[in-house]
Amino acid sequence: MHLVVLEAWNITRFLSVTNKRREIAGASELITYLDCRWVGEALGRLHPGFIPEWRIETHPVELLETGAGAAKILVWGAEQARALVTDVTLAALRQAPGLEVTGVVGEPFDWGTPGALHEALREAQRALEPVRTSLPGPDARFLRLPMVDECASTGLPAATLSRLHPGEREPRSAESLAKWRAYGKEGEDDGLGRLAALAGTEPRALKRVVRHLAEKAEWVGVVYADGNGLGDVFGRLDACVTDPGNRCYADTLRSFSAAVQDAARAAFAEAVDGLREQGAGLGQGAEGPVPVLPLILGGDDLVVVCEGSWALPFTTAYLRAFERHTAGSPQIAGALARRGKGPGLSACAGVAIVKAHFP
């Protein structure tokens, strides 16, 4: 048995290399491809018929956990595990130039030994850092010799002249083009559709928000939020399970992670609804969409761009709602109670309120 861990490392740089809101939203969509698309597609190619309900006792692979640009998969056989890492990282190189995705294959372990999965997770996480630092980063693949034109958006070497706007031809990098395509066009569901669903609105309405934050807002707020103490919880998850066997550990890890993500999404929706009730909507009578653009909402991680005047009220509402929703989750409260903690989780946030085109 081997544990495969895949993770996108340079998420902040990938989002913020440009200050164009459309490309930032497209970058957000590409980051989700790791846990929402590439891993599932690779498992389907390598193991025809794969579905997320597969369990390792009766099938060759088990999807253990996904979210926030990361994935953990159990695989029988080192060769199959390496093939999975190859497939996913190649997909990242081809479809999301500039996004650094790293994967490791853990040492073999005995599935029948209690505690073996917990130790495999710790070892695989420790192995990720040296693997990442030993590989050349995305910038090393975008060299300037021979001399090439500069991308109009990112400053990276241009890959082509593109007609992203009617009547205009601009030099654009491969990274910029990938983000633009992921953002989607008028009427398409792509990146806009996913972000609009998170924001509780329609794609066309969210497009108004993107345009407002890019062109009309004098000040914008950038909010980063992260759960407190989750590293300690996962590092001692073996103390949170009801049975020492690896099956109980795997199911607890999966349910706990999913519950944290559900709580974060519910807290975000509640915070947006709170702003709507306070009259934050765009347009006459504040009936339009709330000027909040979610970029990352996975696991316990939240990255949001919003109207500057609403940044602090939104953040306050989100943090309070996150505490409340995690405390009300049986999967979270039950696991924490076994370690004498809880009932829920807290989170902290950093807020920057800047001019709309501040880097």
Side-chain angles (χ1 to χ4, degrees), residues 21 37 54 123 156 172-173 200 219 228 234 265 327-328 353:
R21 300 298 181 272
R37 178 179 296 187
W54 276 12
E123 292 297 327
L156 294 168
R172 290 284 181 152
S173 64
W219 296 90
N228 293 330
F234 285 118
R265 292 187 174 185
I353 299 175

Side-chain angles (χ1 to χ4, degrees), residues 106-252:
E107 294 296 322
F109 67 94
D110 182 4
W111 180 250
T113 302
L117 177 55
H118 178 71
E119 188 59 32
L121 279 164
R122 293 176 59 186
E123 292 297 327
Q125 289 296 148
R126 279 198 289 264
L128 266 176
E129 180 65 21
V131 170
R132 182 183 72 87
T133 55
S134 68
L135 296 172
D139 291 341
R141 297 195 295 272
F142 299 132
L143 302 179
R144 296 303 181 98
L145 292 174
M147 296 295 290
V148 294
D149 205 351
E150 186 175 88
C151 175
S153 172
T154 63
L156 294 168
T160 184
L161 285 172
S162 182
R163 298 182 185 273
L164 298 181
H165 302 285
E168 297 182 19
R169 286 171 63 87
E170 293 182 341
R172 290 284 181 152
S173 64
E175 180 175 325
S176 173
L177 289 172
K179 292 174 180 177
W180 189 277
R181 286 193 293 266
Y183 172 78
K185 297 178 182 178
E186 190 81 26
E188 293 181 354
D189 284 337
D190 229 9
L192 268 180
R194 183 187 62 84
L195 293 175
L198 289 177
T201 186
E202 298 295 325
R204 289 177 181 270
L206 190 67
K207 192 167 187 176
R208 286 181 57 195
V209 172
V210 173
R211 187 178 297 115
H212 174 82
L213 294 174
E215 301 170 2
K216 298 181 180 180
E218 183 179 3
W219 296 90
V220 297
V222 183
V223 181
Y224 276 59
D226 189 32
N228 293 330
L230 271 172
D232 177 63
V233 173
F234 285 118
R236 296 286 308 280
L237 193 65
D238 55 334
C240 300
V241 298
T242 57
D243 182 277
N246 290 313
R247 169 47 52 203
C248 181
Y249 185 97
D251 292 341
T252 301

Side-chain angles (χ1 to χ4, degrees), residues 59-113:
H59 293 88
V61 295
E62 177 179 340
L63 186 56
L64 195 59
E65 180 191 10
T66 60
K72 299 178 179 68
I73 309 101
L74 292 169
V75 182
W76 284 112
E79 190 173 320
Q80 292 293 329
R82 286 193 292 269
L84 176 61
V85 173
T86 299
D87 197 307
V88 173
T89 52
L90 279 176
L93 284 169
R94 290 166 176 154
Q95 298 178 38
L99 182 63
E100 187 177 358
V101 176
T102 304
V104 296
V105 177
E107 294 296 322
F109 67 94
D110 182 4
W111 180 250
T113 302

Side-chain angles (χ1 to χ4, degrees), residues 31 36 73 82 148 218 244 248 260 264 278 296 299 317 331 343 348:
I31 290 166
C36 296
I73 309 101
R82 286 193 292 269
V148 294
E218 183 179 3
C248 181
V260 171
Q278 297 176 53
I296 300 294
Q331 293 85 355
C348 60

